[in-house]
Every structure is written in C-alpha cells, then in structure tokens.
Amino acid sequence: MEVPVLSDRLPLISLVDIRKHYGGGDKPRVEILHGISLDIHAGEFVAIVGASGSGKSTLMNILGCLDKPSSGRYDFAGRNVADMEADELAWLRREAFGFVFQGYHLIATETAQENVEIPALYAGMPERERAERAQALLTRLGLGERLHYRPKQLSGGQQQRVSIARALMNGGRIILADEPTGALDSRSGEEVMRLLNELADAGHTIILITHDRDVAANARRVIEIRDGHVISDTGVLQPSLANTAPAFKLEADASQVAWRGDMLEACRAAWRVMWVNRFRTALTLLGIIIGVASVIVMMAVGMGTKERVVAELGAFGTNHIYVRPKHESSKVPGRGISVGDLEAIGDIPQITYVLPNLSGNKVVRYGNQDVQTRIKGSGAAMARMLNWPVEKGAFFSEEDNQRMATVAVIGPRLAQNLMPDVENPVGETVLIGNVPFQVIGVLVSKGAVTGDQSDDDLVVIPYSTASMRVFGERDPSYVTLEVGDMKQIDAVAKAVDDVLFSRHQIRDYGMENAAGWIAAQAKTQDSMSIMLALIAVISLLVGGIGVMNVMLMTVRERTREIGIRMATGARQRDILQQFLTEAVLVTTVGGVTGVLSGLAIGVILVFWGMPVIFSLSAIIGAFFCSVITGLVFGFMPARQAAKLDPVVALASE
C-alpha cells in the first residue's frame, strides 16, 4: 500500500463536510453528523466535548476508521481514506491509531500482557520482541506485577491502563480516547488523564472524546459539538509544529510475516476458547469422533471379514471346478452326471484329478447316542485336494474305495457329541443307517458353520461305499475337478462344458470354480465395506454440520471480541484465519481422538474373536476427512466473522 508521510504543512487529519446518517429506505433516516469540517495536526492534544447524543462518538469512530462517513471527505496525511481498501484501513488502525475505550474492550480470555500484544501480533512483530515490549509498557504503567491477570481480576483503573498500554503497543502516534474516565472513580480518572498528558508531552497526538468539561480542560484545544455540528473550537496548533511527529512507515513484508507467524498464536487462542467452552466443545467433538472411529472400525471389520472368507474358501483350493446336475434334471432317470461323463471329463489334458462326491443326511449311532448329520462319500484324494488333514488317525486310501471298505473319518464336533466319554474315537464302531463303520480318523476342525450344520459334524466315507451301501445311488451329487494350471481354469471350464454338452445335448448341469467364488465373495465384502464406510462418512458430515452450528454460535457470542481485534488492526483475513483455525483445531482434535477410539474398539473386537484388519489408508483418510470437514464447514462462519463491521461489532453486547 502507499504509505502516508507527513509534511511540515499538511494536517494529519482533515475532515471536510463530513456527514453521517443511519437508516433510510424502509427505516427512518436519522442524521447524526451535519457537515463537520476540521483539521488536526500531529502533536495536538484535542478534546471533542459534547453531551450524550451529540455525535462525538460517531465522529471518533470515523476518525479512527472504524466507521465510514455517509458523505464528505476524510484525508489522512493528505490521502483520501475513502480510496483505501479494507487492509489499508486495518493498517491505519494498527500502525497509526491506538484506541482507549470507555468500556476498556479487553478480551476476557486473554491476560493483560496478551491483550496488550494484540496490535503487535497483527503487525507481525516477533513473539519475543512483542512480549518484551508489552511487559515494558505494563511495567511503565504500574502493572508489572499483574502481567498474567485476566480483565476480571483487575480494577477499572487497571483495565483502562491495560487499554492505554495496548494503544501504545505499535507506537500509538494517535491516541483516540473515548470517555477514558467515564467508568472510573476520581482517583483512577486523574491517573488516566495524567498518563494522557504525559503522552501528549511526548509528541503523541491525543484526541479525547468526553462529555465532562473538567476532563476536556486538560486538553490544549477543545472542540465542542452539539447535535452533529461543531459550535466552537478554541484554536489550532500551528502547522509549523506538525514535524514533531515522525512519518509512518510500514515494512513491506509485514503482512506476510504476520500470516506466517500468527498460526501458532491462532492455535493457542483457539485452544483456549475450546478449553473455556469445553463442555460445548466435547459435544461438538462427539460427532467427529464417532464419524472417524466408525470409518476406521467398519473398514477394519470389512477387510477382516473379507480376508477370513477368502481364506476359508481358499483353503479348499482355488484350482477347482465344481460340476453338479441341475436340481430338476437330477430327478429324471438317466439324467445328471454319470460315470461315463466322469471318464470323458478325465480325458481333458489340464484336469489332473476327478473327484466324485455323494452326500446326504443320515442318522449316525454309537451305543445309546444317535445324531442326524451329513454323510459325504468321496475319494481318497479329498483330504489333499481340500487341504483338510486328519487330527487323529488316518484318512482312507484308494484301496479302501475300490473294495467298498466300511471305514469312516468323522468331524471333531461329531466325535464330541456322539462319544463324549471316549478320548480317542479312532477304532470305535458307529452305525450309519444299519451299516457298521469303523472310525479310522478324526478331521481337523474347520469351524465353518452353514445354517445348523458345521463341517466339524461331517462324516466322510469312501465314494463306492456311500454309493452302494448307504445311498444306493451310482451318480455323484457333484464332482470336483482339479486343474493343473490355475491360469487355464477358464479354458478348462469351457472344455468341460463342451464335453458334457456334446454328451447331453442340453445344459442340465451347472459349473462353478473356487476362484469365481472367492472373487464374488470378495466383491460382496467390498460392497458391504463401502456401504459401511458411507454410513460412517454420513456421521462425519453430521459432525461437520455440528461444527458449523457451534462456530456460528461462537461468532455471535464473540462479536465484541471480533470488533476489538479489528479496532486493534486485525485484517479480514486475520479474523478469517482465527475462526478457521478454531474450526480446524476442533476437527483435528476430534480426528485424533476418533483414530485412537477406532483403534481401541478394533483391539477389543480382536479379543472378542472378530476378524479385524486395520487399513492405514482408511485411518489417514478418515483423519484428513475430519480436518477437511473443519475447513469446509468452518469457512462460512469464519467468513461471516471476517465481514463484520468493526463499529457494529464493538457496540454488540
């Protein structure tokens, strides 16, 4: 920006026919100032005196660039203030003016030192330097032992001195004091006026707004205003004395320094606000925490379930093709999968083994115990093909199959239910129907349950025995084909289809392969995981809406604080940054807590036996989604705060 520079003859402040009105249109028009014209030179101690409602406070707000005139011209050091942008006006309030308000206008959550540091903070002064300067000013004003007191812990006179120290923080070449003694006892009022006189003697330009003529008598020039008109002016300082005030200078990169250096201060202030309103903050955090934790837990459970399903299916081999007759055709005599079909399929080069299977439910008896369970007739290669070894004993051999041996391998749960008092079932005899079978092995537990049946209740016997002595059927219920090269499984499936279709002339059979099952199950689990994640994201969005509502409420509650910050030089982007930082900090804390909660819940689920696999991408994604939620939903309230009119914000309760 173009920096104002004072000359010997140029008035510091020049008002020409300044008018101010409120209302108009649908509202009654109220004229406050009626053509005020006056000049104020650097180094003057001016008192503007008038009764309540005379327009003196409105005039002060215009002088301090907190408000704009409805018409007229206001030149500061020769430059028309109306041509200045918002950031330039903020620079004037920060670098040129220092405000001393009747109501002190200190930020309640900040200490005396922190209140004094605010103008330097927005000017980009380094932290150590501004702390030293604030301490020096407060010590000079007799508050050296109360640096860390909050406004409520200070008397009215002490708060006013803090306000004066804040006005001097950036140099305060022009002090605008609005009824500085109005809320003080006589002794404190005298102290404040003594300080203002000392500042005037030191070359500061003092503009005192008061209704008290005795207070105004301390000034070297008194301007009386009544009903928006200047009715008297005791005189003007000679222009030749204007050079007692130095030119105003602005470092070219001050705004950049402030933007980079204020982030830590914005986080500190945001954390303090969160702590002061911790119950409300906790309720706001709850939505974010639930959303983030839900994303992590649901994705972890989804991935764990998918891994378990794939592992269980993969345990039966992924290089298998399953062929079974269709339900309707299998009831027609001569239809289904015949022994001749098995021989024809076995001639396909890539098929390394053809395993017929025959299954059904039968009653199994041992002593006085009987259990109805699933009986499966299969070949000796079943244990190898399905990766299903025995825990005790041995699996039957191909020789047992050829000679229709009455031997059986049973599941561990069936052994427990059927022979609760037998430590080792191997060697015991059971009845399947009316046929006695010798138990030669106990299968390893699979743990898989389908409906009321479990693989651990299965009885496996040789296929020939099942066909001739148990079920009385030669044709298998289904056939398992082992493919030598997994990459050729689709080609082999087509070859099997060609063989069967040429023999049957109709597709009265169906084919599936384990790889297809696994892919289908994985796709189903992925869909479930996405659905669960979307539900979690919705809860995260609900949390974001909660953040926006709380931030809007915060803006309303802290409107005066926003006005104070603007009066001490905060730009719109400083206010935007402050409130956006608060929103992001809330969601960041919620995100971290949500991640920790999600991990803790996941660990608990692991102890409960749930399949859980944590996804680093889900954790990082959920956390950054919470941060982005703060940015998105915090922007509107932050922008609303940044757009507030300084004078309106200061007047709010």
Side-chain angles (χ1 to χ4, degrees):
M1 67 170 282
E2 181 184 342
V3 180
V5 180
L6 302 180
S7 70
D8 289 345
R9 298 182 179 179
L10 189 67
L12 176 59
I13 292 172
S14 178
L15 303 183
V16 179
D17 196 27
I18 292 294
R19 297 177 181 273
K20 180 66 179 180
H21 68 265
Y22 295 103
D26 296 337
K27 297 181 180 180
R29 180 185 174 102
V30 180
E31 295 284 346
I32 305 298
L33 300 179
H34 302 271
I36 300 290
S37 297
L38 59 87
D39 291 340
I40 299 175
H41 290 80
E44 284 196 270
F45 186 174
V46 179
I48 299 176
V49 65
S52 297
S54 61
K56 59 184 185 302
S57 293
T58 301
L59 180 59
M60 188 206 77
N61 290 331
I62 292 173
L63 289 171
C65 299
L66 294 174
D67 201 359
K68 295 180 180 180
S70 302
S71 62
R73 182 183 179 94
Y74 173 15
D75 287 346
F76 181 86
R79 184 174 175 193
N80 190 349
V81 172
D83 295 335
M84 295 184 181
E85 297 179 353
D87 281 358
E88 294 177 300
L89 295 174
W91 177 86
L92 280 179
R93 293 193 294 266
R94 182 173 64 249
E95 302 291 340
F97 296 108
F99 293 90
V100 180
F101 297 102
Q102 178 181 4
Y104 320 131
H105 285 337
L106 302 178
I107 298 176
T109 57
E110 307 285 309
T111 64
Q113 178 178 325
E114 289 164 348
N115 268 283
V116 173
E117 288 183 18
I118 290 174
L121 174 68
Y122 295 127
M125 187 181 293
E127 181 180 358
R128 182 175 179 179
E129 183 180 341
R130 69 172 183 260
E132 291 175 352
R133 178 164 174 78
Q135 290 168 12
L137 285 169
L138 287 169
T139 300
R140 173 185 167 191
L141 297 177
L143 296 174
E145 296 180 356
R146 290 176 170 76
L147 299 175
H148 304 296
Y149 282 42
R150 302 198 189 282
K152 288 185 178 180
Q153 298 171 299
L154 300 173
S155 68
Q158 290 169 338
Q159 290 186 59
Q160 195 63 287
R161 278 184 276 170
V162 172
S163 181
I164 293 172
R166 182 180 63 192
L168 296 171
M169 186 64 189
N170 287 348
R173 303 309 306 170
I174 308 166
I175 303 294
L176 287 167
D178 185 13
E179 299 282 7
T181 63
L184 304 179
D185 57 50
S186 58
R187 181 178 177 183
S188 298
E190 290 173 1
E191 291 179 358
V192 168
M193 290 310 303
R194 185 167 58 251
L195 285 172
L196 293 178
N197 274 288
E198 290 175 1
L199 293 173
D201 293 338
H204 294 267
T205 302
I206 311 294
I207 302 175
L208 174 65
I209 309 296
T210 183
H211 69 282
D212 190 335
R213 293 184 180 277
D214 291 335
V215 172
N218 288 273
R220 291 90 194 257
R221 175 184 174 189
V222 178
I223 299 172
E224 185 174 357
I225 185 171
R226 181 185 299 166
D227 297 330
H229 297 274
V230 173
I231 62 171
S232 68
D233 187 345
T234 61
V236 181
L237 185 70
Q238 293 300 318
S240 60
L241 299 178
N243 60 5
T244 57
F248 294 100
K249 294 181 180 180
L250 175 67
E251 295 294 334
D253 63 344
S255 61
Q256 297 176 1
V257 172
W259 179 257
R260 294 193 302 267
D262 290 354
M263 186 58 69
L264 184 61
E265 182 65 24
C267 290
R268 181 199 62 78
W271 180 260
R272 179 169 291 172
V273 170
M274 287 173 57
W275 181 251
V276 169
N277 302 288
R278 48 190 174 274
F279 181 72
R280 185 173 69 191
T281 301
L283 292 178
T284 307
L285 289 175
L286 193 59
I288 301 297
I289 292 170
I290 291 173
V292 173
S294 298
V295 170
I296 293 172
V297 172
M298 290 181 178
M299 291 297 291
V301 171
M303 290 182 65
T305 303
K306 173 184 174 182
E307 191 76 11
R308 174 179 285 185
V309 169
V310 170
E312 288 175 352
L313 291 174
F316 292 99
T318 57
N319 60 335
H320 297 158
I321 297 174
Y322 298 90
V323 183
R324 65 183 74 239
K326 290 186 177 177
H327 182 69
E328 294 80 4
S329 64
S330 63
K331 295 181 180 179
V332 180
R335 301 292 292 273
I337 306 299
S338 66
V339 174
D341 292 335
L342 299 183
E343 293 175 353
I345 292 172
D347 292 335
I348 297 174
Q350 286 293 336
I351 294 180
T352 57
Y353 201 91
V354 177
L355 180 68
N357 298 278
L358 190 59
S359 64
N361 288 337
K362 291 288 182 178
V363 174
V364 181
R365 295 183 179 86
Y366 175 79
N368 295 326
Q369 300 286 336
D370 60 69
V371 175
Q372 184 168 352
T373 191
R374 185 160 59 97
I375 311 298
K376 180 176 181 178
S378 192
M382 187 195 100
R384 174 186 63 80
M385 289 176 63
L386 300 186
N387 190 27
W388 200 351
V390 293
E391 184 180 21
K392 297 176 181 177
F395 206 82
F396 55 80
S397 64
E398 190 61 39
E399 183 182 351
D400 292 329
N401 193 21
Q402 291 175 0
R403 62 184 181 85
M404 290 191 292
T406 53
V407 294
V409 180
I410 64 176
R413 195 169 84 165
L414 177 64
Q416 179 65 31
N417 293 337
L418 199 61
M419 311 172 188
D421 299 326
V422 178
E423 183 176 349
N424 188 355
V426 175
E428 300 293 328
T429 300
V430 298
L431 291 176
I432 301 177
N434 295 318
V435 181
F437 281 79
Q438 182 182 20
V439 177
I440 62 172
V442 178
L443 292 165
V444 169
S445 175
K446 282 285 187 181
V449 179
T450 304
D452 295 330
Q453 292 186 332
S454 166
D455 287 340
D456 290 349
D457 290 323
L458 185 65
V459 177
V460 186
I461 59 178
Y463 178 81
S464 59
T465 310
S467 171
M468 303 302 298
R469 305 195 62 179
V470 177
F471 296 111
E473 296 180 10
R474 293 193 61 193
D475 294 341
S477 303
Y478 68 95
V479 182
T480 303
L481 307 177
E482 185 179 61
V483 180
D485 186 357
M486 174 65 188
K487 297 178 180 179
Q488 298 295 322
I489 195 165
D490 290 334
V492 173
K494 185 177 184 306
V496 172
D497 179 64
D498 291 342
V499 169
L500 291 178
F501 186 76
S502 66
R503 293 176 60 85
H504 291 215
Q505 296 300 309
I506 187 174
R507 286 188 172 83
D508 56 351
Y509 54 86
M511 285 194 299
E512 298 170 327
N513 63 73
W517 288 359
I518 292 173
Q521 286 294 330
K523 186 175 181 180
T524 300
Q525 291 299 324
D526 285 341
S527 299
M528 288 296 295
S529 297
I530 291 172
M531 183 185 72
L532 293 173
L534 287 175
I535 294 172
V537 168
I538 289 172
S539 64
L540 195 59
L541 290 175
V542 171
I545 294 171
V547 170
M548 183 171 65
N549 288 335
V550 169
M551 291 306 299
L552 286 170
M553 185 185 303
T554 299
V555 170
R556 287 195 296 270
E557 290 177 351
R558 296 166 60 194
T559 300
R560 177 174 286 188
E561 177 190 332
I562 295 168
I564 294 170
R565 292 183 181 276
M566 288 181 167
T568 51
R571 293 153 294 212
Q572 288 185 352
R573 68 170 177 264
D574 294 321
I575 303 298
L576 181 69
Q577 177 189 355
Q578 175 67 47
F579 281 86
L580 207 53
T581 300
E582 290 182 17
V584 172
L585 186 60
V586 167
T587 51
T588 299
V589 172
V592 171
T593 308
V595 168
L596 296 177
S597 300
L599 294 175
I601 294 170
V603 170
I604 293 171
L605 292 177
V606 169
F607 281 111
W608 282 355
M610 289 282 291
V612 173
I613 297 178
F614 290 112
S615 167
L616 182 60
S617 60
I619 293 172
I620 295 174
F623 173 75
F624 279 105
C625 277
S626 72
V627 176
I628 292 170
T629 297
L631 280 171
V632 172
F633 287 95
F635 181 77
M636 188 182 78
R639 188 171 181 271
Q640 179 178 320
K643 293 293 185 180
L644 285 174
D645 190 332
V647 72
V648 174
L650 278 171
S652 68
E653 294 297 331

